[in-house]
Amino acid sequence: MATLSESGSRGVVAAAGVAVSDWAVSPDPAGAASEAARIGFPVAAKLCGPQIAHKTERGLVRLGLSGVAEVEAAGAELLAAAAPEDGDVELLVSTMVRGNRELIAGLVRDESFGPCVMLGIGGVLAEAVADVAFRLAPLDRSDASDLIGSLRTQALLGAFRGEPAVDREALADTLCALGSLAHDQTIGSVDLNPLIISDGRPVAVDALVELADRT
Amino acid sequence: MSVDLTPLFEPRGVIVAGVSSHPGKFGFVTLHNILTCGFEGPVFAIGREAGTVLNQPVLTSVDDVPAEAADLLVICTPVSANEQILVSAAARGVKAVFVAAGGYSESGPEGVAAEVRLASLADELGLVLAGPNGQGVVSTPVDLCAQIVAPWPPRGRIGVASQSGNLVSAFLNMAEQTGIGVSRSVSAGNAASTGLVDYLEWLADDDETDVALCYIEGLPDGRDFFERVRQVSAQMPVVVIKGGATSGGQRAAASHTGSLASDDRVFTGMARQAGLLRAPTIETAFDAAATFATQPLPQGDNVVVLTTAGGWGVIAADAVTAHPDLTLATLSDNLFDSMDEMLPPRWSRNNPVDLAGGETRETIPDLLHLVAGHPDVDAIIQLGLGIQGNTAALTRHGPFYPDHGLERIVDFHDRQEHLYATAAAEASAANSKPILVASELATARPDNPLVTAVRGSGRLCYNSADRAVAALGHVVRYAAWRRART
């Protein structure tokens, strides 16, 4: 299934109202470094293109880069790692978002029920915890807050390891924004993974928009 | 769009097609059940051979039925005969057809084609088509039992719509057991034309129905169901039990009704969003529906547990506390002060309100009225009753009765149980708050005077505190859902 690049995906969800980490793209390492300096260190750097999925598995993500030289070096390595089948690629830099908690959220299209917003507990234990809930899109505020309340792991949404409780209004904004994308029939699905809880507020640090099958 | 199912549930007269003299055949049984349960309109039997069955003349063609005499036709004939029967029935003024006969989409590709033809023919003729491959329809307000099986429930306020006839039977049997009756029931069968949500929409507008009880196996168009059923929920509560929640159940559902399975977590979310009350078991689903049918909707989630003795109250407090939709009420000092005047000093002074066996004749009724009338309280679960009636039963059948003063005490015990059940129903009605009485005697000793008195008050005697808490949870959740949307 065709996808938008991370940059394109970020653009789509940000326009809908999802909070995403600051980002910029550049075709070359020097440009990436100057964008990084503009948005502020530390940054993450990734190889970005519409054909590229599974960035982490392929080692196409560099985290915690703290200066121009590091970004330039990482950028050169990432471009060198691009394979011919990756097609057109560029470098994406984004601010490092700090937070101990990760959620996942998305928009999926169920064969019977149509577009649904998904929310779940993210992070390395996500699959084992398997704490995921759905609502049919679009969502109103009460649907969104009920969705948040449906997660079993509510303790993770309260104050946690020195961080404030999750701002449920801000999270509801994110979920409603995802739900509003259901009307766009060109969008097959949206994946925000992870959605880092930073100072209580959810911030998407990666986004993937799959385009709807046009068959 | 909403379909007028009045001719299905309140027909002027009924035609049964496929009647033979063999008492084991569905046509015979359906005719028998209609005649036996007291339907007052004209009933016409159609069979291959003229004669009489069950003292009823058998006509050999639907064409012989007087025009406009019947608007429901129940079909127990084989697939090959049914299209012609539909045409004839429409010409006689029939408005609705229940096809009990099988041999349609459940039986293979030819059946699928026959079902499509049947549905489009019914549509052309302007007939409501229920089934095929369904168990039948029950409508207690008009004493109609047009089913191929027996259960004939007491009249009541629960409307049953199901994708499995067996589940209809289960609910009707539970209605009979508990005394909490049913208004209408229908098994959708293959739902060639009339689907679950069509029934639910009609039941929502039905003056005889206060709550729907529904078994869902699969939804051909989940989005359409969702958009329509959330409107139904705004009018009346819809209790749902969903089959195929696991991969094992989904495989079973696929072979049963050919249902396609969605991710159960999507169904769960849809159900919450639409205000559906999803119950995990047949028993809890019926309990929930019976509660909606017999108790007022609460204003909030604050629950008080009243008990005559400790252990029951502790278990119930655990269940209330663990329930995501309920709160074990924190009670004000002014309520405690009022209770102090009614109870011995050792009473719990807490919620659960544990009377510690300190009650006199009027304590429990007085307490029920006091607590139900207090603004801290939205609902009450009453436990620990039936003890006196149980003691009385052993005494009455023992060797010493009626001497030694036993006759008098047995009468007293029985009267007290009656007083408690009546007080619970009255305090509930007077304050518009649910009061649920629970005791295992509901099934262990259904002749216990508490159990019969609760039943006599028109309410359900819950089998355990846990089941009362689960049922109350649905009612509280639904009330909150309604408040959030109005």
Side-chain angles (χ1 to χ4, degrees):
Chain A
M1 195 178 279
T3 61
L4 297 182
S5 70
E6 179 177 338
S7 177
S9 300
R10 283 170 169 263
V12 167
V13 300
V18 172
V20 296
S21 57
D22 285 344
W23 90 98
V25 288
S26 171
D28 56 69
S34 74
E35 289 291 355
R38 185 179 59 79
I39 63 179
F41 294 106
V43 297
K46 308 177 200 177
L47 195 65
C48 175
Q51 319 283 344
I52 297 178
H54 310 297
K55 291 184 288 275
T56 307
E57 292 83 340
R58 289 181 57 197
L60 301 179
V61 179
R62 301 296 153 86
L63 299 175
L65 308 175
S66 56
V68 168
E70 282 185 45
V71 174
E72 283 185 354
E77 286 171 23
L78 289 170
L79 287 173
E85 61 269 27
D86 291 336
D88 291 338
V89 294
E90 55 190 346
L91 294 167
L92 182 146
V93 291
S94 59
T95 47
M96 288 297 295
V97 172
R98 298 196 170 281
N100 286 317
R101 289 168 289 184
E102 291 185 4
L103 302 177
I104 49 177
L107 177 77
V108 296
R109 293 188 189 271
D110 182 87
E111 209 174 310
S112 176
F113 290 102
C116 304
V117 172
M118 180 271 280
L119 175 68
I121 300 297
V124 290
L125 298 178
E127 280 180 44
V129 172
D131 189 0
V132 171
F134 293 82
R135 291 294 182 275
L136 271 55
L139 270 57
D140 64 24
R141 299 292 301 182
S142 70
D143 293 332
S145 79
D146 196 49
L147 173 53
I148 298 165
S150 294
L151 293 179
R152 293 191 311 274
T153 321
Q154 288 294 308
L156 206 59
L157 304 181
F160 181 79
R161 297 183 69 131
E163 295 180 18
V166 171
D167 181 338
R168 287 174 183 249
E169 292 301 315
L171 182 53
D173 288 341
T174 300
L175 298 171
C176 289
L178 274 172
S180 72
L181 290 170
H183 295 302
D184 185 342
Q185 297 300 327
T186 66
I187 294 178
S189 71
V190 181
D191 200 12
L192 305 179
N193 183 13
L195 197 59
I196 292 182
I197 304 301
S198 176
D199 202 23
R201 298 177 66 83
V203 181
V205 303
D206 196 356
L208 180 64
V209 171
E210 280 188 335
L211 299 173
D213 262 333
R214 290 174 180 282
T215 52
Chain B
M1 283 302 97
S2 158
V3 185
D4 182 12
L5 301 177
T6 309
L8 182 67
F9 290 109
E10 296 198 345
R12 288 166 301 176
V14 184
I15 305 168
V16 182
V19 172
S20 74
S21 58
H22 192 306
K25 298 283 191 188
F26 285 154
F28 182 103
V29 176
T30 303
L31 178 67
H32 174 272
N33 291 351
I34 293 170
L35 295 174
T36 298
C37 295
F39 180 67
E40 287 190 351
V43 179
F44 304 94
I46 312 297
R48 268 203 307 232
E49 292 166 24
T52 62
V53 170
L54 297 169
N55 306 327
Q56 195 77 12
V58 177
L59 310 174
T60 53
S61 166
V62 175
D63 299 331
D64 298 337
V65 174
E68 308 300 327
D71 38 21
L72 173 61
L73 165 68
V74 182
I75 293 186
C76 302
T77 40
V79 171
S80 58
N82 294 343
E83 286 167 49
Q84 184 52 48
I85 292 176
L86 249 58
V87 172
S88 302
R92 306 318 290 157
V94 163
K95 305 284 190 301
V97 183
F98 192 100
V99 182
Y104 287 94
S105 63
E106 81 285 359
S107 69
E110 282 179 31
V112 170
E115 189 167 308
V116 169
R117 284 199 309 274
L118 192 74
S120 66
L121 178 61
D123 193 40
E124 255 169 59
L125 297 169
L127 294 170
V128 169
L129 176 69
N133 191 31
Q135 181 171 293
V137 57
V138 161
S139 182
T140 58
V142 296
D143 298 316
L144 177 67
C145 181
Q147 287 194 116
I148 59 175
V149 292
W152 176 238
R155 185 171 174 176
R157 310 291 302 171
I158 302 175
V160 179
S162 170
Q163 289 180 333
S164 165
N166 297 154
L167 269 289
V168 173
S169 291
F171 292 135
L172 301 191
N173 288 329
M174 295 171 91
E176 188 161 22
Q177 183 199 1
T178 59
I180 309 303
V182 164
S183 55
R184 331 276 187 176
S185 79
V186 62
S187 82
N190 297 353
S193 157
T194 310
L196 215 47
V197 75
D198 296 311
Y199 296 114
L200 294 175
E201 284 177 341
W202 189 85
L203 290 171
D205 290 331
D206 177 24
D207 291 339
E208 298 288 336
T209 302
D210 289 336
V211 53
L213 177 53
C214 188
Y215 171 69
I216 299 176
E217 212 158 83
L219 297 167
D221 185 344
R223 177 59 68 154
D224 175 68
F225 178 85
F226 168 70
E227 300 293 356
R228 291 166 65 186
V229 83
R230 74 200 303 197
Q231 307 297 326
V232 173
S233 286
Q235 288 179 262
M236 73 169 175
V238 179
V239 178
V240 167
I241 177 165
K242 170 72 166 61
T246 64
S247 57
Q250 283 164 5
R251 281 193 300 276
S255 66
H256 179 211
T257 51
S259 302
L260 277 178
S262 272
D263 187 324
D264 190 60
R265 297 172 303 184
V266 173
F267 183 90
T268 300
M270 181 282 296
R272 277 201 68 114
Q273 211 170 348
L276 302 178
L277 294 313
R278 187 179 182 185
T281 64
I282 294 173
E283 292 83 0
T284 52
F286 185 84
D287 286 350
T291 308
F292 282 112
T294 58
Q295 299 272 358
L297 278 186
Q299 298 296 311
D301 64 352
N302 291 299
V303 181
V304 169
V305 176
L306 290 183
T307 180
T308 56
W312 281 309
V314 177
I315 296 284
D318 280 340
V320 170
T321 305
H323 197 293
D325 297 308
L326 301 178
T327 301
L328 193 63
T330 305
L331 301 178
S332 307
D333 283 340
N334 66 13
L335 182 55
F336 285 147
D337 294 344
S338 308
M339 291 182 187
D340 280 341
E341 293 171 19
M342 304 163 67
L343 295 171
R346 64 177 183 276
W347 84 276
S348 66
R349 266 194 144 264
N350 201 348
N351 179 17
V353 176
D354 181 352
L355 311 186
E359 65 270 19
T360 61
R361 186 182 308 215
E362 298 294 336
T363 309
I364 290 172
D366 289 349
L367 205 60
L368 277 165
H369 284 283
L370 174 71
V371 175
H374 197 277
D376 289 351
V377 180
D378 298 311
I380 297 173
I381 291 177
Q382 171 73 60
L383 307 171
L385 303 181
I387 300 171
Q388 289 173 266
N390 216 17
T391 304
L394 185 63
T395 308
R396 182 185 283 115
H397 297 106
F400 302 105
Y401 185 82
D403 304 327
H404 313 280
L406 293 177
E407 185 171 21
R408 198 157 158 261
I409 194 73
V410 161
D411 287 349
F412 170 74
H413 285 327
D414 287 355
R415 273 201 313 277
Q416 284 298 106
E417 299 292 6
H418 195 267
L419 189 64
Y420 302 150
T422 307
E426 285 175 357
S428 167
N431 296 286
S432 266
K433 295 177 184 179
I435 300 183
L436 284 63
V437 177
S439 167
E440 68 286 350
L441 292 161
T443 48
R445 291 298 300 262
D447 60 343
N448 180 286
L450 171 79
V451 178
T452 57
V454 171
R455 186 177 172 135
S457 74
R459 300 192 175 216
L460 178 63
C461 189
Y462 299 81
N463 208 35
S464 67
D466 291 294
R467 280 173 62 171
V469 168
L472 185 59
H474 288 294
V475 175
V476 166
R477 155 103 68 84
Y478 177 70
W481 185 87
R482 280 272 286 256
R483 278 197 301 277
R485 276 159 185 77
T486 48

